Amino acid sequence: MPVVRAATPVVKASVVGIQPVAVATPVVRAAAVAVSSPVIVAEAPEPLDAPNPPMPSLNAPFVGGQFHAQDDMGQYAFGHHGGSNTRVETRDYLGRVTGSFSYINPDNDVHVRKYAAAPGMGFKVAGSDIPVDTPEVASVKAAHAKVIAAARSATSS
């Protein structure tokens, strides 16, 4: 029986003219960045930036409707209109909510409220007939704002 052997490759070392190569080195500049937390804080929306609701009506025959949409990121939009009350609301992927509603009170006056909220920012509402703060309430709000400002400055430094 014949013996079969694998061929052995023959490698010859050869040097072909070596030239120095200039390589551009990227310049990297470091910047000091203070990161207090990995949480994204989005600016809270203002209530007056909320969409206007459709106006309610008792005199016209009922013509209305509703809608609802949402996605996997937590965003949504919904609303309804027609009759004595209406509402629209939206939420974005950062958790900020804006909305508005309108209604007709027993005296047949139309009232509109707009609202906004964001995580860590609270809830704000706007309306034309919301009472103005009394002096006592205004002083408590001012004291509360000072406490909040002091707490924020203590945590940021």
Side-chain angles (χ1 to χ4, degrees):
M1 178 181 274
V3 177
V4 179
R5 295 184 185 186
T8 326
V10 177
V11 179
K12 292 184 180 178
S14 63
V15 177
V16 180
I18 299 176
Q19 297 292 326
V21 177
V23 177
T25 305
V27 176
V28 179
R29 296 175 193 230
V33 177
V35 177
S36 61
S37 72
V39 177
I40 295 174
V41 177
E43 183 179 352
E46 289 298 320
L48 294 178
D49 293 337
N52 290 320
M55 288 295 109
S57 174
L58 289 178
N59 299 332
F62 180 80
V63 176
Q66 59 186 356
F67 66 93
H68 179 256
Q70 67 186 50
D71 65 14
D72 293 336
M73 293 178 61
Q75 302 178 108
Y76 65 77
F78 71 84
H80 65 86
H81 59 94
S84 62
N85 61 61
T86 63
R87 182 175 177 190
V88 293
E89 183 175 299
T90 61
R91 180 181 190 270
D92 67 13
Y93 70 98
L94 295 173
R96 298 178 299 184
V97 175
T98 59
S100 60
F101 62 92
S102 62
Y103 64 94
I104 299 176
N105 72 5
D107 297 329
N108 287 331
D109 295 326
V110 174
H111 293 276
V112 175
R113 298 285 186 275
K114 291 185 168 193
Y115 56 90
M121 302 293 183
F123 181 85
K124 299 178 186 178
V125 66
S128 60
D129 61 334
I130 295 176
V132 179
D133 290 342
T134 63
E136 294 84 8
V137 171
S139 67
V140 170
K141 282 185 175 180
H144 179 70
K146 286 180 184 176
V147 170
I148 296 296
R152 285 187 177 155
S153 66
T155 59
S156 66
S157 50

